[in-house]
Amino acid sequence: MSEDKFDAIVVGGGLAGTVAAYLMANAGLEVVLIERGNFPGSKNMTGGRLYTHSIEKIIPGFTAEAPLERKITRECVTMLTDDSAVGLDYRSTRLGKQGSDSYSVLTSVLDQWLADKAEEAGAQIIAGISIENLIVREGRVCGVIAGDDELEANVTILADGANSLLAQKIGMRAEFKPSQVAVGVKELIRLPASVIEDRFCSSDGEGTASLFVGSPTAGSIGGGFLYTNKESVSLGIVATLSTLVEGNRSAPAMLEALKRHHAVAPLIKNGKLLEYSGHIVLEGGYDMIPKLIGDGVLVVGDGAGFCMNLGYAVRGMDLAIASAECAAKAVIEASGQGDFSAESLAVYRTLLEQGFVLKDMKTYRRFPHFMDSTPRLFDEYPRLAADTMEEMFVVDGRPSIPLRKAVMPHLKRIGIGTLIKDVRKGLGSL
Amino acid sequence: MMEYVDVDEKLAVDKFYVDEDNAHIVLRELGPGDMMQFHTLELACPAGLYECLPDGTVRFDYAGCLECGTCRILCGTTILEKWEFPRGTFGVEYRYG
């Protein structure tokens, strides 16, 4: 490796890393991005939906040019019990308007495209090198260590993902608790575009985002997701580790349970498995954000815990991109002043607070606790919904009893007081 | 009883560069008191790499690892002797992601 000192080293070629490298290189800084896989994106997986507001501002024309899959114009949330599915299905021309549009994506493909953009802007991309340690002198991060090689920079940006060992090694974040982390398991299933459009009632190029809660995760906090891509479907489950390990169904078995549910199976019938992937998801929200800034170092993206799971929508990629932009701006400013201390880099946090990243994380701060403390969401409420639907729609010729009376035993199973409290708590956290 | 899923069949479609010379995850010698911990990995590993066989012995193979870190979070300080990312270029390679 070169003896020269870089302005910035970015560790990790995901969304946050490539965008940070792109912006800093564009501003004329000497930047190197180091990726441990064979190419940026090769270690990355995502559920599959990107809200493009943050990236479109950084790369105008992104939506037209980037390798995106389908524009999401249909949102579904479905509660599952073993034998039923009760859902919300929202289709609107209000979805997908420019500026608030979102797309299904395959992140390995997208990250390579972004890395190419960074390279065109002048960033150097080194793939196939794993950074095991950081150079730390008198509490200041001065670069990275890979094997016998050392590479120095004024600032090192840690974009090494949710499982950022580097941030942990230098004491910027504590070890995770199993209640703060979920595991995601996904199958990418190939289907012809015409079949996808027929099964999901979508127009050419448009797609569906669908979330599931209930029986597949067997009582564990978590749920399923499905995103339609151009010629494939991303289908997976996410389950919180603390509850997953108390149960009796493994993460791969949860995915199988989702796949064979009668509301899901017809959607993927005759599909062919293209890829099987797994990843952790940091679900602790605002309260698990690590130390973001140190002398000569910043943490961005998943590694910074920038992820929001609200049950009906999951966000991470747009936060990763926006955090990378804030970090890049901070480094550019610090370079102008020649001061890379934590105080100088603190503008990173200011920018995060002024923008939507920390505002949104704060707004939904209480939601992870709501999910933790309301296990009924994943079990009893889907059953209540299914039982209520049964009372409404199953007609068998027996004399009818009024719906309010028919539903009462189902409600009483949970307790009306509990239900009211949960609704208040839920609304209070959103 | 835990329901069995043939995850190997799914992993077979993935692209791996297995580092034959260096196991990036090492399980320590397990005693009877460690089986509860091992069972959590059996449940949580998306690749199904931790397996308790009917005769009570355990099986673990780092080839096929999706590098998610779940086992490190659950058992990094208990029954895992080592957890590192694979060396550069090695391990899973997502073509789609």
Side-chain angles (χ1 to χ4, degrees), chain A residues 36 38-39 42-44 106-108 128 163 168 175 186-188 250-251 256 260 275-278 280, chain B residues 2-3 5 7 10 14 17 43 46 66-70 72 83 85 88-90 92-97:
Chain A
R36 67 185 177 91
N38 288 306
F39 53 84
S42 60
K43 296 292 183 183
N44 304 345
L106 299 170
T107 196
S108 177
N163 190 22
Q168 201 183 344
E175 184 52 277
K186 178 176 107 168
E187 285 190 17
L188 185 71
S250 71
E256 282 303 300
R260 65 168 181 261
E275 193 165 78
Y276 182 73
S277 53
I280 54 168
Chain B
M2 235 178 73
E3 152 194 3
V5 180
V7 188
K10 302 184 187 197
D14 286 352
Y17 297 94
L43 284 165
L66 301 171
E67 301 164 33
C68 65
T70 299
R72 188 189 70 75
W83 197 103
F85 286 111
T89 74
F90 288 111
V92 68
E93 182 169 298
Y94 291 129
R95 289 158 293 173
Y96 305 98

Side-chain angles (χ1 to χ4, degrees), chain A residues 69-70 104-106 188 196 227-234:
Chain A
E69 293 293 318
R70 287 175 183 269
S104 51
V105 295
L106 299 170
L188 185 71
I196 292 173
Y227 299 99
T228 59
N229 304 310
K230 276 183 186 147
E231 294 192 321
S232 63
V233 166
S234 296

Side-chain angles (χ1 to χ4, degrees), chain A residues 260-340:
Chain A
R260 65 168 181 261
H261 195 282
H262 68 88
V264 175
L267 300 173
I268 53 167
K269 191 178 154 199
N270 296 329
K272 180 175 163 280
L273 180 66
L274 285 175
E275 193 165 78
Y276 182 73
S277 53
H279 208 279
I280 54 168
V281 188
L282 304 188
E283 298 210 309
Y286 188 81
D287 293 322
M288 80 179 297
I289 295 176
K291 192 176 160 202
L292 297 170
I293 303 157
D295 288 326
V297 65
L298 297 174
V299 186
V300 297
D302 260 1
F306 294 146
C307 172
M308 295 195 302
N309 177 5
L310 305 178
Y312 55 85
V314 186
R315 288 169 62 184
M317 291 190 270
D318 59 328
L319 303 176
I321 289 162
S323 72
E325 185 184 22
C326 297
K329 280 183 179 163
V331 174
I332 293 162
E333 207 168 292
S335 299
Q337 292 161 359
D339 178 1
F340 304 95

Side-chain angles (χ1 to χ4, degrees), chain A residues 28-328:
Chain A
L29 300 191
E30 278 229 38
V31 180
V32 60
L33 182 151
I34 305 173
E35 160 59 42
R36 67 185 177 91
N38 288 306
F39 53 84
S42 60
K43 296 292 183 183
N44 304 345
M45 78 79 103
T46 176
R49 178 234 294 259
L50 170 66
Y51 294 92
T52 48
H53 61 101
S54 57
I55 187 76
E56 185 67 37
K57 285 189 198 108
I58 294 167
I59 306 178
F62 171 86
T63 311
E65 211 191 317
L68 303 173
E69 293 293 318
R70 287 175 183 269
K71 176 152 95 170
I72 303 301
T73 54
R74 182 180 177 197
E75 306 274 355
C76 304
V77 179
T78 309
M79 289 187 280
L80 301 177
T81 63
D82 284 333
D83 63 3
S84 305
V86 183
L88 276 173
D89 186 346
Y90 175 52
R91 306 176 208 198
S92 171
T93 50
R94 296 180 190 186
L95 278 171
K97 282 210 175 116
Q98 206 180 349
S100 61
D101 40 349
S102 71
Y103 297 81
S104 51
V105 295
L106 299 170
T107 196
S108 177
V109 180
L110 177 60
D111 292 346
Q112 284 177 70
W113 184 87
L114 284 167
D116 288 345
K117 285 275 166 199
E119 202 164 25
E120 281 166 31
Q124 196 178 324
I125 311 274
I126 301 177
I129 302 286
S130 182
I131 302 301
E132 294 131 17
N133 279 298
L134 300 172
I135 307 170
V136 184
R137 291 188 201 114
E138 292 164 5
R140 169 185 294 272
V141 174
C142 301
V144 299
I145 303 170
D148 297 330
D149 288 319
E150 294 195 353
L151 202 57
E152 298 205 15
N154 290 327
V155 182
T156 303
I157 295 186
L158 302 182
D160 52 339
N163 190 22
S164 171
L165 297 186
L166 293 175
Q168 201 183 344
K169 275 182 182 165
I170 58 168
M172 292 184 78
R173 75 160 168 81
E175 184 52 277
F176 300 128
K177 297 188 193 90
S179 60
Q180 297 173 314
V181 181
V183 58
V185 192
K186 178 176 107 168
E187 285 190 17
L188 185 71
I189 300 165
R190 206 191 108 75
L191 285 169
S194 60
V195 170
I196 292 173
E197 279 152 20
D198 288 348
R199 287 184 189 173
F200 293 89
C201 308
S202 48
S203 321
D204 191 21
E206 298 191 348
T208 298
S210 197
L211 296 177
F212 303 89
V213 63
S215 54
T217 61
S220 173
I221 299 177
F225 61 84
L226 184 158
Y227 299 99
T228 59
N229 304 310
K230 276 183 186 147
E231 294 192 321
S232 63
V233 166
S234 296
L235 181 70
I237 63 99
V238 175
T240 299
L241 294 183
S242 54
T243 51
L244 165 69
V245 300
E246 279 167 13
N248 193 31
R249 184 176 279 173
S250 71
M254 289 177 180
L255 179 50
E256 282 303 300
L258 179 65
K259 281 170 62 188
R260 65 168 181 261
H261 195 282
H262 68 88
V264 175
L267 300 173
I268 53 167
K269 191 178 154 199
N270 296 329
K272 180 175 163 280
L273 180 66
L274 285 175
E275 193 165 78
Y276 182 73
S277 53
H279 208 279
I280 54 168
V281 188
L282 304 188
E283 298 210 309
Y286 188 81
D287 293 322
M288 80 179 297
I289 295 176
K291 192 176 160 202
L292 297 170
I293 303 157
D295 288 326
V297 65
L298 297 174
V299 186
V300 297
D302 260 1
F306 294 146
C307 172
M308 295 195 302
N309 177 5
L310 305 178
Y312 55 85
V314 186
R315 288 169 62 184
M317 291 190 270
D318 59 328
L319 303 176
I321 289 162
S323 72
E325 185 184 22
C326 297

Side-chain angles (χ1 to χ4, degrees), chain B residues 20-36:
Chain B
E20 306 285 356
D21 302 325
N22 179 41
H24 71 283
I25 302 173
V26 177
L27 194 63
R28 77 162 157 75
E29 196 73 30
L30 298 186
D34 295 324
M35 291 318 290
M36 285 289 284

